[in-house]
Amino acid sequence: MVQLPKEASLTEMQLLDAAGIVGVRWNLIERRRELPDLEDPQWIDFLDRLKALDWHLELHLEGDRLPELFPALHEHGVTLVVDHLGLPVEADPAADAGFRLLLEAGRYGRTWVKLSAPYRSPVRDLRPHVGEMLKELGRERLVWGSDWPWTRHEGKHGYRDTFDWLADWVRDDDDRRVILNDSPRELFRLD
């Protein structure tokens, strides 16, 4: 996964593709950071290049800001990976507009969610959210992530914690196997 400017050419991206890159990450988490203008022709061309290469776009964005960007990205047809369970802001999944968008997008099979970093969400118990994702997106669209090196949370977590969180959220062994093995193999095109 790389971060690229909107001016990155298809040739540059094809070279990255040949080296095994399959996606781009947008780190938009800071509230002061302006969101990309998806009416800008350069951004539209950039998204078209992602689709031409069959790359995904990973979004690191606060859950309450997802409605500002997610619908336009989804409408454009790009494959999306939403970081950290979508960073829900409401304890009740049904009351969380950004989270509901993720669930609705599950019908189209182009949205993945990374199960990682519960400490980045203001919601303390994310089991209801993961349960809804399992039901609406399916285990095939969920991938685990450690969030290493736990930026801004260094020294507070270890790998054992990340597996324990997953075991708490996803109790079924077969579901966890798919999330840990099959889903990332498909998303990251691993042989």
Side-chain angles (χ1 to χ4, degrees):
M1 189 112 43
V2 294
Q3 294 190 30
L4 292 174
K6 63 185 173 184
E7 300 83 14
S9 71
L10 181 58
T11 302
E12 292 170 300
M13 294 170 77
Q14 287 170 327
L15 289 171
L16 291 169
D17 187 72
I21 299 297
V22 297
V24 171
R25 186 169 199 259
W26 282 358
N27 185 358
L28 305 171
I29 195 68
E30 298 176 14
R31 293 201 176 271
R32 66 184 175 276
R33 185 165 296 186
E34 188 175 327
L35 298 178
D37 175 5
L38 297 182
E39 294 182 13
D40 177 337
Q42 282 189 302
W43 278 124
I44 292 170
D45 289 346
F46 181 82
L47 295 175
D48 286 341
R49 289 191 293 280
L50 289 181
K51 288 191 327 187
L53 291 167
D54 195 25
W55 282 11
H56 63 263
L57 174 62
E58 182 176 312
L59 282 180
H60 183 53
L61 181 65
E62 295 92 344
D64 57 347
R65 292 180 71 200
L66 277 175
E68 298 173 41
L69 190 62
F70 188 88
L73 288 170
H74 191 273
E75 185 176 310
H76 197 81
V78 67
T79 298
L80 296 168
V81 178
V82 180
D83 230 355
H84 309 321
L85 298 100
L87 293 174
V89 295
E90 299 290 340
D92 176 4
D96 193 311
F99 190 76
R100 284 195 322 268
L101 281 175
L102 293 182
L103 297 181
E104 291 167 15
R107 297 185 198 122
Y108 303 97
R110 290 189 325 267
T111 300
W112 302 68
V113 178
K114 192 182 291 182
L115 302 180
S116 62
Y119 46 85
R120 296 190 185 275
S121 172
V123 177
R124 293 298 109 211
D125 182 6
L126 292 166
R127 284 177 293 186
H129 298 77
V130 174
E132 288 298 311
M133 286 188 277
L134 279 166
K135 186 170 68 175
E136 298 296 328
L137 295 171
R139 63 189 186 178
E140 297 80 9
R141 291 292 176 258
L142 303 176
V143 295
W144 168 85
S146 70
D147 196 35
W148 182 86
W150 307 293
T151 306
R152 297 183 182 164
H153 299 270
E154 296 89 345
K156 298 178 185 174
H157 310 287
Y159 281 105
R160 180 79 258 158
D161 298 325
T162 66
F163 285 113
D164 291 345
W165 294 325
L166 180 64
D168 184 46
W169 297 331
V170 181
R171 303 286 171 96
D172 183 81
D173 289 340
D174 196 49
D175 287 344
R176 278 196 314 276
R177 182 194 56 75
V178 169
I179 291 166
L180 288 167
N181 184 47
D182 301 354
S183 294
R185 284 183 179 281
E186 182 179 343
L187 177 63
F188 297 112
R189 297 186 223 154
L190 303 172
D191 293 327

